[in-house]
């Protein structure tokens, strides 16, 4: 019995600092950034209101929806579809960091935000996260005729002004959504993805990535091809980089590849000096984090 127990406790894959996978299939997540917090639609002191919604029961996909507390039913607002980061295998739209970040962004931008709770790898290998977030975008688009399941979307959203945004792995997923929104626009029923913001995006650094390879159900390129980039339908892209971020060069490559692809749009990159990966989540009141939030809010409202 002891021998069997010891064998079950053997580490099959050590993917530090994110997770360990044991020989019996157990997954141990090593990075927990903040506790889950409930949505709150009634806090009179908050600059935003929030509620949780079900996108799909099979597969299980949900989201947290945010509106500014000052939202006026007579004014239609841009919609931000936000995809959280976490190396495709950790984090949640419902934890404190992302609740505060996306809610604050909705308030600052005067926008409706939908923050997607997608399935995590390795239990649900990539491309499950891509498919879940596409389902979330289609769920948003199902409200375009003002008769969808979520009253906040029916009431407040301008469906000609959808912006995608995400950080790290979430930014990678946003690229996939932008590309699919172009090739499968008929699935969006007239809703328009017009812009995309990539915050400290993960697109690899040219070397083999053990975590990426392990989390994928099939061989996939982490760096988009120029042919794929050229076909993107959104016309505005903003990339946020951090000077000391280990993923910075993937973001720079994306900027350069997009410009060289023949894509018919405008891309702008902003780099915050002296900062590390997702600094704005770890220290949201810092000067650079406030700058990032303000620049992103302005970008959402350009159309």
């Amino acid at each position: 019995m002891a021998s069997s127990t010891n064998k079950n406790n053997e580490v099959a894959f050590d993917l530090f600092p994110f997770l360990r996978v044991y020989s019996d299939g157990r997954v141990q997540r090593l990075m927990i950034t903040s506790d889950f917090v409930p949505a709150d639609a009634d806090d009179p002191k908050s600059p935003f209101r929030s509620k949780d919604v079900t996108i799909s029961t099979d597969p299980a996909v949900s989201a947290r929806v945010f509106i500014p507390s000052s939202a006026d039913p007579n004014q239609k607002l841009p919609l931000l579809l936000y995809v959280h980061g976490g190396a495709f295998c950790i984090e949640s739209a419902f934890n404190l960091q992302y609740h505060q970040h996306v809610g604050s962004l909705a308030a600052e931008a005067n926008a409706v935000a939908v923050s997607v709770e997608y399935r995590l790898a390795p239990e649900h290998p990539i491309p499950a996260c891509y498919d879940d977030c596409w389902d979330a975008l289609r769920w948003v688009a199902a409200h375009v005729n003002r008769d969808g399941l979520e009253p906040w979307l029916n009431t407040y959203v301008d469906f000609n002004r959808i912006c995608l945004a995400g950080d790290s792995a979430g930014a990678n997923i946003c690229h996939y959504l932008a590309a699919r929104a172009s090739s499968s626009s008929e699935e969006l029923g007239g809703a328009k993805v017009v812009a995309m913001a990539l915050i400290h995006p993960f697109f690899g650094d040219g070397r083999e990535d053990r975590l990426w390879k392990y989390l994928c159900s099939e061989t996939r390129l982490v760096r988009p091809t120029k042919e794929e980039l050229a076909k993107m339908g959104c016309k505005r892209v903003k990339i946020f980089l951090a000077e000391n971020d280990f993923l910075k060069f993937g973001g720079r490559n994306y900027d350069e590849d997009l410009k060289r692809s023949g894509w018919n749009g405008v891309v702008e990159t902003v780099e915050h000096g002296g900062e590390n990966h997702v600094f704005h989540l770890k220290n949201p009141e810092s000067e650079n984090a406030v700058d990032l939030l303000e620049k992103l809010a302005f970008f959402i409202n350009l159309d």
Side-chain angles (χ1 to χ4, degrees):
M1 181 67 69
S3 176
S4 175
T5 300
N6 290 338
K7 187 173 182 179
N8 288 341
N9 287 328
E10 290 178 358
V11 176
F13 296 96
D14 193 340
L15 298 164
F16 183 85
F18 300 106
L19 50 81
R20 290 192 183 99
V21 182
Y22 292 89
S23 56
D24 63 357
R26 286 180 299 118
V27 176
Q28 178 188 15
R29 287 178 167 81
L30 304 175
M31 296 178 66
I32 306 296
T33 55
S34 59
D35 294 333
F36 282 25
V37 294
D40 191 342
D42 302 307
D43 184 354
K45 298 180 181 179
S46 174
F48 58 84
R49 299 164 62 196
S50 61
K51 66 168 74 170
D52 293 338
V53 298
T54 298
I55 304 295
S56 167
T57 55
D58 186 18
V61 185
S62 55
R64 182 159 292 178
V65 182
F66 300 84
I67 60 171
S69 295
S70 59
D72 180 352
N74 296 312
Q75 179 186 7
K76 296 299 180 273
L77 307 178
L79 182 133
L80 174 70
L81 186 82
Y82 195 90
V83 186
H84 72 78
F88 306 97
C89 60
I90 58 173
E91 298 291 8
S92 167
F94 302 147
N95 73 22
L96 179 61
Q97 281 190 343
Y98 283 106
H99 176 81
Q100 290 295 341
H101 175 61
V102 182
S104 298
L105 187 53
E108 180 72 23
N110 196 31
V112 177
V114 175
S115 185
V116 186
E117 180 75 346
Y118 55 87
R119 291 172 294 163
L120 299 178
E123 295 91 340
H124 306 282
I126 299 168
C129 55
Y130 295 144
D131 295 336
D132 292 352
C133 292
W134 176 250
D135 285 346
L137 183 56
R138 290 197 304 132
W139 177 85
V140 166
H143 294 76
V144 71
N145 294 322
R146 313 286 172 194
D147 58 358
L149 295 175
E150 175 45 52
W152 283 1
L153 269 63
N154 293 332
T155 302
Y156 295 110
V157 173
D158 179 350
F159 291 96
N160 290 313
R161 301 166 66 197
I162 296 176
C163 177
L164 309 174
D167 61 273
S168 196
N172 177 291
I173 296 171
C174 282
H175 161 77
Y176 168 85
L177 295 178
R180 189 164 176 180
S182 301
S183 63
S184 304
S185 58
E186 71 281 356
E187 295 187 43
L188 300 182
K192 296 179 180 177
V193 175
V194 296
M196 177 174 65
L198 307 176
I199 306 167
H200 310 160
F202 168 72
F203 291 112
D205 59 6
R207 296 176 293 181
E208 181 176 88
D209 189 300
R210 288 182 64 242
L211 181 64
W212 170 260
K213 186 176 181 180
Y214 178 77
L215 297 180
C216 289
S217 62
E218 57 192 23
T219 301
R220 303 179 69 94
L221 295 175
V222 67
R223 182 174 178 175
T225 65
K226 292 183 177 66
E227 292 75 18
E228 182 182 349
L229 291 167
K231 296 176 183 177
M232 285 207 312
C234 66
K235 299 304 180 186
R236 295 188 290 111
V237 173
K238 197 173 190 85
I239 304 171
F240 292 91
L241 305 178
E243 181 183 15
N244 300 328
D245 185 4
F246 62 103
L247 297 181
K248 176 176 66 174
F249 298 103
R252 285 183 176 172
N253 288 337
Y254 189 93
D255 177 299
E256 294 171 1
D257 290 347
L258 192 57
K259 289 173 179 174
R260 294 171 181 168
S261 70
W263 170 68
N264 185 27
V266 177
V267 58
E268 178 187 8
T269 294
V270 173
E271 182 171 326
H272 288 99
E275 299 288 4
N276 293 304
H277 191 61
V278 296
F279 69 87
H280 61 295
L281 297 176
K282 299 171 183 175
N283 190 12
E285 297 182 359
S286 69
E287 181 178 351
N288 280 337
V290 171
D291 180 73
L292 187 154
L293 187 78
E294 291 176 347
K295 282 184 167 65
L296 182 50
F298 181 80
F299 175 77
I300 292 167
N301 281 283
L302 281 177
D303 284 306

